């Protein structure tokens, strides 16, 4: 069924009231309040370079002042006799916006029908759906949402079936922590937060199909998250294993490596330790090659694809066995298997390193070293994997007290324990070649371990003994005929191949492909998450999947969400829920009490939006085939690895079992930039309280920092200084918005002061969409005035009592060629820039059009209507109101977007160079096809050229149409005339 247009049911703009007249007594006069943000008393008098580049036009042409007044026609008149004060606005956004938001909602304008006309092209544009935090939105959030809304509105008007939904990634630790602290059930908190988010998003005029709204906490949604888990379990892609995990006692849960920063939890800053626990794992490694190979087909930022490639970390090498020696130097049956990507350097392995959590370590360590090793293991358990492998960190380690035999050289080499080796990567043990690996060289130098050079550079250059040579080259010092291996003189690649061949022939090793990617730890010891649909038989511990017909397995109600501190999840407290019966055998069983991680629900939500009410399947096959893949997916770059990689993994599994028809979920991913808080100015003070210039601060000195209000700051050249002491240079820096910094700007305040369309326009106008930029509250006044000028251009100036007339000022006259050229130039630019997500330059084009239109005596309806259509994706509330005033009964949302006519894009004039005696003296602007005589006449009247031509005799003129005019003066005649 095709989308139908709902007839407009207009309702008035409250005619009994003057829309913009607010009456106060002088004692209670309340000026428009300033937006809420801390530290900076008022916004700085400048914008970012990118912002200024595009706002000079608006400032220069609109005469914008820097005052924090709502419009260029604002007046606050207050008389001593306390007569009422009238505050005027640029246009009646405070009535227009609620009016059209009600209309869109009541008429479900943006609803995408379940059965669309599949002969039409589709456009699925999706935001990374938000976690509904208690803080609500700040002005950084709408950046991506506005961009996707502009794209969605454009595509609707271009005749596409558009899917543009919104939902909530609502499970998560913050709500559970709040529940623990306050005793409020996390569902109540989450639903309250969702309501606030939804209200804020609707106030910004986003054209979401709210009929498709989903939330990961709803049982009819997570039923299918559980169903996907069961499919993974059936295929051996979900399993349990004893693994070292990041355990946070304070939070009572296991954390992913990315959730641990500097040994503490990212949320709350609680200490984190490593300890072994039995956990559910998902075998994402089984899809490593496909996840890597299919990246090449995606229209994603190259930086994001490279991050995923590095995270997967595919490498080819060899596994080699080193025999452990006893105290008498004899080989034992115990073997240490190492993985190396450089088997060509094996003769240079002068020691082995095993991870602190290496499974055989307790069997290897000597009695004399056991206490030292155990102490080192305890210290290492408090560090995250990222900390341990950081290249810049100082290497630490402890000798195990034992040795192993290098299988190629036959020499005994010491076995060390060091935390820069991870038990989860490779085999948990490495052969260390200090001459040819920087980390190994640093470690060997610190602990006086021998360094043996076995590779020389191909160019024959000398090797610096003070640092490792990690490149390839020619092999030296690598021969032992007793074991039948000689690789001297071979290239690194040839040598690597020969070592692997030797290892496989002698049973000492084999060729191996390895990945940095680890299987996905898929269990959390917390309440607020999806229950894992598995039970365990009490007598055998065998795990049994819950029957699909019993899904969803819902969360039990709990009053106590606090962690046990022992690793037992909060769900273990729901005894009557935990105890169950296996339906197939009738035996007593216990439910799994771990829950899924927050990532689970967000792995597949884009599919549910296609068919959100389906109770019989995750998604209808026909709907999935039509809507897949997501055409444009917009979100932050911080999700490059986790969310995007996990989603791709699940999607490929669903592809393999026939649920989806595409190999990849997201065709195009766009990362929006970050909106930073307003610039803060910081001054340094010494211990005596004296200001110290920032360029004179000694890193070793002790200084106090003071936030300086903007009114005490002045710009001096490229820097900012104290106004009353220009010798004191300040630090000017914008930070990411956060409650802790107090620099959060609430969009509700901006909408109240300037309107939603102004906020939308400003966020798009600040600079290139993908770049980070700095919020500047005073900057929003520029786009607000642009909207005001647009309103007055079409509707007219306010009447004497402050209200605007009904209707518009447009005429039914035929447009001039000049007007058509201005319009179609704007159409071409706006269309091109929206589709290229260069929204800021699209706005600039509309500003140029409005500037040009103000010079016209008449404004033909056909021209103004087309411009309003161009404006509608950016400023939908104003566009709807203007469209209605122009006499249209239907919403503008599905009107055809204008197309540029090439005829009017061709320039009718050209710039013609003018030469005098063969030397270029200037240029003139002429019509295409201009005659020689007309060109000469224009040159003679030109202020710059006329001084070369006035009264001068001309020998001849050389004219090449459209190319050049060359005037040759008769110098001889000029000389004779001067003599006479």
């Amino acid at each position: 069924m095709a989308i139908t247009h709902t007839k407009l049911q207009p309702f008035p703009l409250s005619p009994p009231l003057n829309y913009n007249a607010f009456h106060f007594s002088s004692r209670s006069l309340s000026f428009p309040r300033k937006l809420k943000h801390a530290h900076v008393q008022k916004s700085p008098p400048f914008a970012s370079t990118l912002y200024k580049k595009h706002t000079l036009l608006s400032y220069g042409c609109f005469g914008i002042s820097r005052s924090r007044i709502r419009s260029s026609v604002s007046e606050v008149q207050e008389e001593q006799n306390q007569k009422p004060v009238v505050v005027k606005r640029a246009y009646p956004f405070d009535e227009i916006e609620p009016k059209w938001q009600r209309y869109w909602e009541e008429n479900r304008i943006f609803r995408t029908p379940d059965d669309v006309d599949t002969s039409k092209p589709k456009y699925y544009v999706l935001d990374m759906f938000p976690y509904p935090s208690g803080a609500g939105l700040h002005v950084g959030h709408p950046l991506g949402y506005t961009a996707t809304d502009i794209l969605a509105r454009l595509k609707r008007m271009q005749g596409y079936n558009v899917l543009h939904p919104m939902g909530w990634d609502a499970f998560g630790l913050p709500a559970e922590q709040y529940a623990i602290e306050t005793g409020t059930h996390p569902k109540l908190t989450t639903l309250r937060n969702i309501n606030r988010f939804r209200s804020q998003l609707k106030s910004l005029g986003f054209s979401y199909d709210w009929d498709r709204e989903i939330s990961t906490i709803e049982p009819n949604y997570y039923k299918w998250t559980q169903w996907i888990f069961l499919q993974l379990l059936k295929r051996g892609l979900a399993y349990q294993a004893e693994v070292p995990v990041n355990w946070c006692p304070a939070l009572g849960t296991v954390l992913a490596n990315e959730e641990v920063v500097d040994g503490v939890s990212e949320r709350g800053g609680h200490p984190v330790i490593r300890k072994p626990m039995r956990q559910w794992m998902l075998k994402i490694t089984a899809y490593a090659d496909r996840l890597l190979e299919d990246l090449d087909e995606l229209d994603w930022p190259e930086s994001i694809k490279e991050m995923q490639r590095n995270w997967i970390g595919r490498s080819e090498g060899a596994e080699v066995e080193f025999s452990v020696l006893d105290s008498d130097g004899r080989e034992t049956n115990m073997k240490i298997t190492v993985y190396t990507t450089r088997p060509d350097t094996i003769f240079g392995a002068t020691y082995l390193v095993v991870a602190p959590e290496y499974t055989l370590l307790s069997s290897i360590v000597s009695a004399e070293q056991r206490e030292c090793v155990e102490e080192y293991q305890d210290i290492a358990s408090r560090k995250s994997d990222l900390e341990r492998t950081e290249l810049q960190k100082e290497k630490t380690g402890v000798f195990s007290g034992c040795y192993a035999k290098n299988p190629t050289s036959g020499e005994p080499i010491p076995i060390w324990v060091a935390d820069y080796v991870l038990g989860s990567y490779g085999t948990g043990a490495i052969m260390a070649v200090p001459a040819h690996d920087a980390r190994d060289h640093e470690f060997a130098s610190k602990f006086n371990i021998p360094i043996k050079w076995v590779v020389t550079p191909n160019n024959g250059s000398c090797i610096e003994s003070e640092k490792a040579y990690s490149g390839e080259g020619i092999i030296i010092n690598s021969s032992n005929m007793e074991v039948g291996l000689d690789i001297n003189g071979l290239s690194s690649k040839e040598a690597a191949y020969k070592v692997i061949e030797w290892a496989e022939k002698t049973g000492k090793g084999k060729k191996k492909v390895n990945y940095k990617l680890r299987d996905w730890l898929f269990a959390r010891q917390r309440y607020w998450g999806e229950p894992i649909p598995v039970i365990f038989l009490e007598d055998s511990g065998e795990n049994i999947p819950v029957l699909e017909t019993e899904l969803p397995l819902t969360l039990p109600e709990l009053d106590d969400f606090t962690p046990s501190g022992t690793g037992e999840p909060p769900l273990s407290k729901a005894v009557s829920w935990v105890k169950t019966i296996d339906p197939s055998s009738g035996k007593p069983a216990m439910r799994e009490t771990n829950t899924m991680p927050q990532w689970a629900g967000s792995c597949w939500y884009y599919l549910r939006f296609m068919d959100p009410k389906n109770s019989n399947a995750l998604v209808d096959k026909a709907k999935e085939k039509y809507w897949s893949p997501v055409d444009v997916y917009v979100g932050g770059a911080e999700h490059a690895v986790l969310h995007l990689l996990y989603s791709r993994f699940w999607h490929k599994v669903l592809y393999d079992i026939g649920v989806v028809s595409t190999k990849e979920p997201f065709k195009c991913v766009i990362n929006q930039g970050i909106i930073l808080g307003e610039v803060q100015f910081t001054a340094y003070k010494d211990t005596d309280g004296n200001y110290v210039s920032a360029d004179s601060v000694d890193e070793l000195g002790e200084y106090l920092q003071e936030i300086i209000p903007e009114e005490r700051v002045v710009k001096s050249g490229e820097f900012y200084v104290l106004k009353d002491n220009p010798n004191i240079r300040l630090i000017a820096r914008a930070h990411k918005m956060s409650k802790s910094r107090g620099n959060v700007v609430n969009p509700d305040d901006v909408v109240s002061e300037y309107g939603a369309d102004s906020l939308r326009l400003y966020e798009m106008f600040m600079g290139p969409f993908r770049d980070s930029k700095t919020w500047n509250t005073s900057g929003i006044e520029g786009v607000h005035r642009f909207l005001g000028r647009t309103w007055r251009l079409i509707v007219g100036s306010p009447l004497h009592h402050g209200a605007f007339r009904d209707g518009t000022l447009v005429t039914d006259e035929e447009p001039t060629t000049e007007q058509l050229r201005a319009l179609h130039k704007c159409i071409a630019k706006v269309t091109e820039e929206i589709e290229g997500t260069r929204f800021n330059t699209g706005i600039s084009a509309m500003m140029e059009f409005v500037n040009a239109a103000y010079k016209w005596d008449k404004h033909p309806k056909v021209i103004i209507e087309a411009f309003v259509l161009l404006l509608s994706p950016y400023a939908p509330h104003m566009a709807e109101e203007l469209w209605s005033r122009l006499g249209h009964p239907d919403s503008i949302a599905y009107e055809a977007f204008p197309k540029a006519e090439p005829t009017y894009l061709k320039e009718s004039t050209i710039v013609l160079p003018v030469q005098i005696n063969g030397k270029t003296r200037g240029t003139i602007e002429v019509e295409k096809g201009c005659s020689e005589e007309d060109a000469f006449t224009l040159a003679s009247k030109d202020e710059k050229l006329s001084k070369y031509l006035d009264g001068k005799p001309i020998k001849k003129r050389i004219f090449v149409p459209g190319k050049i005019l060359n005037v040759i003066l008769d110098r001889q005649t000029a000389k004779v005339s001067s003599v006479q």
Side-chain angles (χ1 to χ4, degrees), residues 875-943:
H877 305 89
M878 175 179 281
E880 287 277 21
E881 179 64 25
L882 293 174
W883 192 247
S884 174
R885 283 171 172 255
L886 287 164
H888 299 280
D890 294 335
S891 167
I892 200 173
Y894 295 96
E895 295 294 331
F897 200 76
K899 292 183 179 179
E901 290 288 343
T903 305
Y904 297 112
L905 299 180
K906 296 177 182 177
E907 294 293 339
S908 61
T909 62
I910 60 171
V911 175
L912 186 73
V914 178
Q915 293 183 342
I916 308 296
N917 291 333
K919 187 173 183 179
T920 302
R921 295 295 187 180
T923 60
I924 55 175
E925 187 172 344
V926 300
E927 292 287 330
K928 284 185 177 179
C930 173
S931 67
E932 177 183 338
E933 193 60 40
D934 288 341
F936 180 73
T937 301
L938 288 170
S940 301
K941 294 178 180 179
D942 183 85
E943 181 180 354

Side-chain angles (χ1 to χ4, degrees), residues 414-629:
I415 303 170
W416 282 75
V417 184
D419 64 5
Y420 75 88
V421 176
L422 301 177
S424 59
Y425 179 67
T427 64
I430 66 163
M431 67 175 205
V433 185
H436 305 291
D437 181 274
R439 292 187 307 172
D440 296 345
H441 189 280
E442 183 183 345
F443 190 92
S445 299
K446 180 175 180 177
F447 294 104
N448 297 315
I449 301 172
I451 297 174
K452 181 180 179 181
W453 302 92
V454 293
V455 182
T456 59
N458 285 316
N459 60 11
S461 61
C462 296
I463 297 173
E464 298 181 37
S465 59
E466 294 79 12
K467 62 181 182 179
Y469 171 68
S470 58
E472 295 185 349
I474 304 300
I475 305 302
I476 60 173
N477 301 327
S478 300
S479 177
N480 184 0
M481 297 315 297
E482 290 185 10
V483 298
L485 183 62
D486 179 6
I487 55 175
N488 279 336
L490 298 180
S491 68
S492 290
K493 288 184 178 178
E494 292 171 327
Y497 176 80
K498 190 168 183 179
V499 169
I500 293 172
E501 185 180 47
W502 170 85
E504 291 179 334
K505 183 178 179 180
T506 60
K508 299 290 186 182
K510 61 183 179 180
K511 185 177 181 179
K512 179 76 171 178
V513 175
N514 208 7
Y515 301 89
K516 289 182 181 178
L517 180 67
R518 301 293 89 203
D519 281 343
W520 179 6
L521 181 63
F522 197 72
R524 296 292 185 270
Q525 292 67 46
R526 57 186 182 226
Y527 168 74
W528 195 230
E530 299 94 337
I532 295 175
V534 171
I535 62 174
F536 300 91
L537 298 181
E538 286 189 6
D539 58 357
S540 65
E542 178 187 359
N543 67 69
I544 307 291
V546 171
L547 297 175
E548 292 181 14
T549 54
E550 293 184 7
L551 299 180
L553 173 61
T554 57
L555 278 171
E557 291 294 326
L558 276 185
D559 295 325
D560 181 10
F561 318 104
T562 56
S564 62
T566 64
E568 278 293 305
L571 276 180
S572 62
K573 300 175 184 179
V575 178
S576 61
W577 180 85
V578 173
K579 290 185 176 182
T580 187
I581 300 293
D582 173 28
S584 59
S585 67
K587 294 181 179 180
M590 307 284 283
R591 295 194 189 279
E592 172 62 77
T593 54
N594 286 314
T595 54
M596 299 185 193
Q598 184 176 353
W599 307 105
S602 63
C603 277
W604 69 279
Y605 73 104
Y606 57 94
L607 293 171
R608 194 60 177 173
F609 279 136
M610 300 174 188
D611 193 15
K613 304 295 191 295
N614 194 332
S615 59
N616 299 314
L618 183 149
V619 61
D620 177 79
K621 285 185 178 293
K623 292 176 180 177
E624 183 280 327
K625 190 171 184 179
Y626 177 72
W627 287 113
S628 284

Side-chain angles (χ1 to χ4, degrees), residues 245-320:
V245 298
N246 300 312
W247 172 251
C248 179
L251 297 177
T253 191
V254 170
L255 300 176
N257 287 335
E258 299 74 31
E259 297 173 310
V260 181
V261 179
D262 297 330
V264 298
S265 62
E266 185 179 32
R267 178 167 294 278
H270 304 293
V272 175
I273 62 173
R274 300 278 290 178
K275 78 173 189 175
M277 291 181 70
R278 192 160 184 80
Q279 298 286 300
W280 282 101
M281 310 290 292
L282 298 188
K283 195 176 286 187
I284 190 173
T285 50
Y287 283 74
D289 281 328
R290 288 168 62 183
L291 289 168
L292 195 61
E293 292 162 4
D294 292 344
L295 279 171
D296 294 335
E297 303 173 14
L298 299 177
D299 180 16
W300 290 18
E302 191 57 39
S303 59
I304 299 298
K305 293 198 284 188
E306 192 60 26
M307 288 173 71
Q308 291 210 0
R309 291 188 188 105
N310 292 336
W311 192 263
I312 295 168
R314 186 183 191 275
S315 62
E316 294 184 3
E319 279 188 350
V320 183

